Amino acid sequence: MLEKYLQVHPEVKKAIENGEAVVALESTIISHGMPYPKNVEMAKNVSKIIRENGAIPATIAIIDGVLKVGLTEEEIEFLGTSKDIVKASRRDLPFIISKKLNGATTVATTMILADLAGVKVFATGGIGGAHRGAQETFDISADLQELANTNVAVICAGAKSILDIGLTLEYLETNGVPVIGFGADEFPAFYTRKSGFGVDYRVDSSMEVATALKAKWDLNLKGGVVIGNPIPTEFEMDYDGITNAIETALKEARENNIAGKKVTPFLLDKVKTITAGKSLDSNIELVYNNAKVAAQIAKDLADINK
């Protein structure tokens, strides 16, 4: 039945069938997260980094209502240049399929489709989470529920620092989602290596992560794992500078009544403007770093399973 909806790229399909390392990649970062041509350039470089580290990249999106795991270069270019791409979360999938629309996958949807295809490791920039004031607004990303329910490990540079990181971690804890620091004792805050919040466990090697993932899923402990991989020191932004930029962007969002799925792209774009583009450069570098670590974890997991 799945074949009716799901199209896995031949290279990715072959790798999955042979038990080889595959890394899932989201597409919202291409369509909504960065301007053209930086977005397409970034996507191609991420794929290259994953291959250099022994895994096969599988960018995930919905093209003309077809769920795709693994895209061609033409499809990535299309996502990076087209203006009518829906930002697709769990609730949107049935309607994007029935209306034959084009959709870019968020963290939540990338996890769903990766899991359907049999891909267990996913690299992204940062996860969604509880927005500031979520205790009153209930503005909480669907990414967190997906992490509670779907067996995919997510390598990220923490939660986007525009969010309430403390509330996000509390939510993950309630849902039994392990939060790991890759070579770090603190959960990273996207543009900065530190957030002021600790992780559940620090791990210092990709093999250690892979061994824990195998144990978790062998025991049928449903759900994902958040692997917080801090941005490399040389690309980290000044903590006070980025905090001030975020506060300014949040104030503007409130004044303009920006809510729902429009919030994150608006805030990221504002922060980019305020920081004179430095935040975009940091964003790209942390994605590259996450792709490298994800490929190493996927390779170790594949080796253990063999």
Side-chain angles (χ1 to χ4, degrees):
M1 190 185 287
L2 271 181
E3 283 172 10
K4 181 181 172 185
Y5 304 106
L6 187 70
Q7 194 177 97
V8 182
H9 188 284
E11 184 192 24
V12 175
K13 192 175 184 185
K14 187 181 170 197
I16 294 165
E17 286 168 355
N18 293 338
E20 290 164 9
V22 179
V23 174
L25 298 163
E26 56 143 306
S27 47
T28 296
I29 196 169
I30 303 170
S31 62
H32 293 76
M34 291 180 191
Y36 183 81
K38 286 252 189 192
N39 52 359
V40 172
E41 212 175 276
M42 176 275 308
K44 288 177 181 173
N45 286 338
V46 165
S47 292
K48 186 165 168 276
I49 289 163
I50 287 169
R51 289 183 191 281
E52 284 168 358
N53 285 276
I56 301 295
T59 305
I60 295 178
I62 306 127
I63 310 278
D64 295 327
V66 178
L67 308 175
K68 298 213 168 199
V69 177
L71 301 180
T72 63
E73 287 203 357
E74 291 74 24
E75 286 166 337
I76 286 172
E77 187 79 25
F78 169 71
L79 285 171
T81 52
S82 180
K83 296 290 174 236
D84 65 340
I85 309 287
V86 180
K87 187 178 171 186
S89 197
R90 174 179 272 269
R91 69 178 176 190
D92 306 298
L93 281 177
F95 301 96
I96 292 173
I97 292 168
S98 66
K99 291 175 180 288
K100 294 185 166 50
L101 300 175
N102 299 305
T105 56
T106 60
V107 168
T109 333
T110 305
M111 288 180 75
I112 293 166
L113 302 188
D115 190 43
L116 286 177
V119 179
K120 293 296 176 192
V121 177
F122 161 33
T124 186
I127 57 166
H131 280 264
R132 299 183 191 204
Q135 63 270 39
E136 288 158 17
T137 63
F138 283 80
D139 188 354
I140 299 168
S141 169
D143 296 355
L144 301 188
Q145 268 300 302
E146 216 54 60
L147 280 158
N149 291 295
T150 305
N151 296 354
V152 174
V154 181
I155 293 84
C156 59
K160 295 181 179 81
S161 40
I162 54 177
L163 303 168
D164 186 322
I165 294 175
L167 268 185
T168 300
L169 294 173
E170 288 288 352
Y171 193 101
L172 290 169
E173 183 192 16
T174 300
N175 285 281
V177 179
V179 176
I180 292 169
F182 192 78
D185 298 301
E186 244 184 74
F187 191 60
F190 202 64
Y191 299 117
T192 57
R193 293 177 65 83
K194 294 190 180 296
S195 65
F197 296 93
V199 291
D200 299 325
Y201 295 96
R202 174 187 174 129
V203 291
D204 291 296
S205 74
S206 53
M207 182 55 83
E208 195 182 344
V209 178
T211 307
L213 293 177
K214 179 161 171 58
K216 184 184 198 297
W217 295 326
D218 279 353
L219 293 169
N220 204 21
L221 296 171
K222 190 179 71 163
V225 175
V226 176
I227 297 144
N229 180 38
I231 182 171
T233 311
E234 62 270 33
F235 302 112
E236 183 179 22
M237 296 198 69
D238 173 67
Y239 181 83
D240 292 333
I242 199 70
T243 302
N244 291 336
I246 289 164
E247 290 300 339
T248 304
L250 283 163
K251 184 169 176 276
E252 203 169 317
R254 282 192 298 271
E255 287 166 356
N256 290 291
N257 293 319
I258 289 160
K261 60 168 76 174
K262 291 178 181 172
V263 173
T264 301
F266 173 84
L267 292 174
L268 290 176
D269 187 57
K270 278 289 158 199
V271 169
K272 185 191 88 182
T273 304
I274 295 163
T275 61
K278 284 181 189 163
S279 65
L280 178 60
D281 296 339
S282 292
N283 194 348
I284 290 169
E285 292 298 338
L286 66 83
V287 171
Y288 292 164
N289 191 41
N290 294 341
K292 180 183 172 186
V293 171
Q296 291 164 352
I297 293 169
K299 193 169 182 307
D300 287 340
L301 187 60
D303 289 345
I304 292 171
N305 285 328
K306 279 180 183 174

